[in-house]
């Protein structure tokens, strides 16, 4: 685990985090600089920069966790009628944190301007103001309460990244 990686610091509990879901292989947590309310990131617990470095099983596991988070966002009190699932893979694709992460962004009608504004400001490497921890915790507990009982995954301890 590289000492400087922000997400590895989160995994080592050296930085605060608001968790939505955790299993042996992955962690899903609230984005500290949400593009829209309820923005969640899903990461592998092993440090890898690019999805190309992950096993096929790990790639599909991250998507399964993302889908479960997405389902919970829909059923929660968030304004969420649809979602953007995306990965910025590499600096030229505006990946700011060099540890693979799947964005799960709740969307609803009329939010395009807000989403575009935060997307464009990220091109200038500006995340904006950090969300209040209490607000993140309140959203996370709502989303957590709607997570499916079990995330379906073919991943076993045998086939890590
Ligand atoms: P990207 O630009 O695709 O590399 O996305 C990185 C995301 O990570 C961005 O949406 C903001 C988020 N982020 C940055 N620092 C932190 C942090 O310390 N905690 C949390 N929870 N999210 C962070």
């Amino acid at each position: 685990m590289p000492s400087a990686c922000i997400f590895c610091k989160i995994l080592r509990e050296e930085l605060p985090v608001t968790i939505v879901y955790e299993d042996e292989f992955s962690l899903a947590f609230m984005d500290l600089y949400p593009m829209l309310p309820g923005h969640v990131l899903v990461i592998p617990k092993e440090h890898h920069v690019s999805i190309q470095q992950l096993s096929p099983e790990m790639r599909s596991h991250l998507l399964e966790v993302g889908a479960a988070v997405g389902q919970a966002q829909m059923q929660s009190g968030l304004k969420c009628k649809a979602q953007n699932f995306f990965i910025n893979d590499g600096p030229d694709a505006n990946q700011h944190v060099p540890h693979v992460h799947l964005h799960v962004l709740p969307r609803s009608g009329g939010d395009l301007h807000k989403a575009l504004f935060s997307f464009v400001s990220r091109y200038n490497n500006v995340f904006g103001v950090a969300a209040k921890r209490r607000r993140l915790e309140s959203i996370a507990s709502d989303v957590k309460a709607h997570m499916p009982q079990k995330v379906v995954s073919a991943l076993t301890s045998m086939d890590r990244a």
Side-chain angles (χ1 to χ4, degrees):
M1 268 196 190
S3 54
C5 170
I6 293 173
F7 291 168
C8 287
K9 284 187 181 178
I10 284 177
L11 289 165
R12 289 196 301 265
E13 300 181 11
E14 293 169 11
L15 284 177
V17 66
T18 306
I19 294 174
V20 167
Y21 170 82
E22 180 168 17
D23 62 30
E24 189 184 347
F25 311 103
S26 67
L27 186 72
F29 55 95
M30 303 306 297
D31 193 307
L32 186 57
Y33 304 93
M35 291 176 69
L36 290 166
H39 186 171
V40 169
L41 302 172
V42 183
I43 64 169
K45 285 192 170 174
E46 283 185 8
H47 179 86
H48 293 284
V49 176
S50 164
I51 62 161
Q52 304 302 340
Q53 295 157 347
L54 301 179
S55 66
E57 290 82 6
M58 184 63 80
R59 280 196 289 263
S60 63
H61 182 71
L62 295 179
L63 191 56
E64 287 303 333
V65 173
V69 169
Q71 184 185 323
Q73 286 174 335
M74 290 268 196
Q75 290 167 359
S76 73
L78 283 168
K79 269 192 181 173
C80 180
K81 292 193 174 144
Q83 276 122 355
N84 293 114
F85 293 88
F86 63 97
I87 293 173
N88 298 326
D89 204 51
D92 289 352
N94 296 98
Q95 181 181 14
H96 297 95
V97 180
H99 183 132
V100 175
H101 48 286
L102 171 65
H103 294 257
V104 186
L105 185 68
R107 298 293 309 274
S108 64
D111 67 2
L112 184 61
H113 281 91
K114 215 171 161 209
L116 279 180
F117 177 77
S118 46
F119 191 75
V120 169
S121 63
R122 279 156 187 244
Y123 272 105
N124 298 319
N125 295 321
V126 181
F127 283 138
V129 183
K132 300 256 183 305
R133 188 62 63 184
R134 212 181 279 175
R135 170 107 172 101
L136 294 181
E137 280 165 4
S138 149
I139 295 173
S141 84
D142 186 11
V143 173
K144 252 197 234 175
H146 292 89
M147 280 295 284
Q149 293 278 321
K150 192 171 169 0
V151 174
V152 178
S153 171
L155 188 61
T156 71
S157 304
M158 298 293 290
D159 37 40
R160 282 181 175 272

